[in-house]
Amino acid sequence: MQPTPSLPGELDASRVIVTLATELKTVPSLEELASGGFSQVMTDHMILVSYDPVHGWSAPEIKPYGPLSMMPASACFPYAINAFEGMKAYMGPDGIPRLFRPEKNMARFARSAARVALPAFNPTELLKIIRQLVTIDKRWVPAAKGHSLYIRPMIIGTRSSLNLSISDSALLWVMCAPSGPYFRNTRPLSLFAATDAVRAWPGGTGEHKIATNYGPTLTHHQRAQAANHDMNLWLLGDKITEAGIMNFFVVLRRDDGDLDVLTPPLDGTILPGITRESILALAAAHPSRMILPGLSEETRLHPAERELTMPDLETWLADGNVVEVFVVGTAVVVSSIGHIAWGAKEIVLPQYGDALGPVSKALRERILDIQEGEFEWEDWCVPCV
Ligand SMILES: *Cc1c(COP(=O)(O)O)cnc(C)c1O
């Protein structure tokens, strides 16, 4: 196939310049990764590409991971002109790393960058370069259940100016770190509902992965942890939005015995998670298009995007209709929620010991099997070869 012709200055994967590291690092062992979360050690290589108003996008580089150089007056520092992504590569049984629905990450990355007026780039070309990077750093993709290579694309505005103005210069890079299971076990999490702060608001930027949505949540995260909770539940009035940096789900038993699988709609205050979208799709496929592991064919799931409030949750609990509450995202995949502290109230949710509830367990298993190449589903996995 002929390479797609590009205009000069467009992000172009065919122009990649590869400089391999002369000294390779030691890959952390699975035991080291088992302590939870991401490794502090980045892989041997990174992608780096820059944009300036005269030349457009430079020839992308894959080069040894190392420090960046930029002016102290770069606009990204005071004005948070940046965007990021989070995605994972999983090692398949055939020894080929796979990305999970990466075109969705690329599209969201482009939207986030556009929201802070950063230069546009071709997401398809960026994905090609990421696949090449993962192939080069393949020995860093852990071949163990629940393990993966976390991939963090970043773009920042580097215009050297103290004025608040659009950054016509940018740096885009992609770095990777191996990761173990995010939480050491599947114990249900405890949430602390912030009643004096919101994460996102109508007309705000909550649906984008840009720095301003994250840094300011840390005081509340710290407070939640000091009170022995795992993370915040972010409300808007009494409306449930997200927990930590994860999308929120509740499973309800209906009068007809079927199960509703509900999550708040994408109204601009919710980050459009790819795990969220995948959970909705998998729930819709059961049982007509696939049987989820451990769920009976008779169990019908009705996924829906619906506004959820704390009073709703209390009512459903009082009526005995809540089957389980869980949260989802690339980092954790799926975790169950056991408690919510909300003002003076301590809301106790259905728990299944140290295990997940029946629906989240089925969905988690299936999504991991798809990600790890054990179960083929649509075109959700993109091999890196
Ligand atoms: C990234 C993120 C999520 C999860 O999105 P995924 O695409 O599933 O990883 C959820 N909420 C917030 C606020 C996030 O930043």
Side-chain angles (χ1 to χ4, degrees), residues 90-244:
Y90 298 82
M91 187 56 84
D94 50 5
I96 295 173
R98 287 167 171 73
L99 297 167
F100 181 69
R101 312 186 80 184
E103 66 291 344
K104 303 237 168 231
N105 293 94
M106 294 297 102
R108 188 170 68 189
F109 190 34
R111 285 199 307 274
S112 297
R115 182 63 185 81
V116 285
L118 279 166
F121 54 87
N122 181 329
T124 312
E125 292 298 299
L126 181 58
L127 179 53
K128 285 186 200 162
I129 311 168
I130 291 176
R131 288 170 72 185
Q132 193 177 349
L133 174 67
V134 172
T135 306
I136 289 174
D137 277 345
K138 181 171 151 177
R139 71 190 186 98
W140 290 83
V141 187
K145 190 111 194 137
H147 293 65
S148 56
L149 183 70
Y150 188 79
I151 303 167
R152 167 59 56 82
M154 286 270 344
I155 181 170
I156 63 170
T158 50
R159 179 186 164 101
S160 181
S161 165
L162 300 182
N163 292 316
L164 173 59
S165 57
I166 287 170
S167 183
D168 57 4
S169 307
L171 268 185
L172 187 163
W173 69 93
V174 182
M175 55 200 158
C176 312
S179 79
Y182 196 78
F183 293 112
R184 244 164 286 180
N185 51 42
T186 48
R187 106 190 131 73
L189 305 177
S190 174
L191 303 181
F192 185 81
T195 48
D196 63 342
V198 295
R199 187 194 86 87
W201 49 90
T205 57
E207 65 187 336
H208 298 291
K209 275 199 190 288
I210 56 179
T212 43
N213 292 333
Y214 299 88
T217 65
L218 291 175
T219 44
H220 288 73
H221 184 63
Q222 194 175 38
R223 199 176 63 185
Q225 293 216 317
N228 280 321
H229 299 281
D230 293 288
M231 60 192 64
N232 276 106
L233 176 63
W234 293 108
L235 305 177
L236 200 55
D238 59 14
K239 233 165 56 173
I240 295 169
T241 63
E242 297 195 58

Side-chain angles (χ1 to χ4, degrees), residues 108 199 209 214 242 245-247 271 273-276 328-330:
R108 188 170 68 189
R199 187 194 86 87
K209 275 199 190 288
Y214 299 88
E242 297 195 58
I245 50 172
M246 290 177 274
N247 293 117
L271 195 289
I274 293 152
T275 320
R276 172 190 180 278
V328 309
T330 295

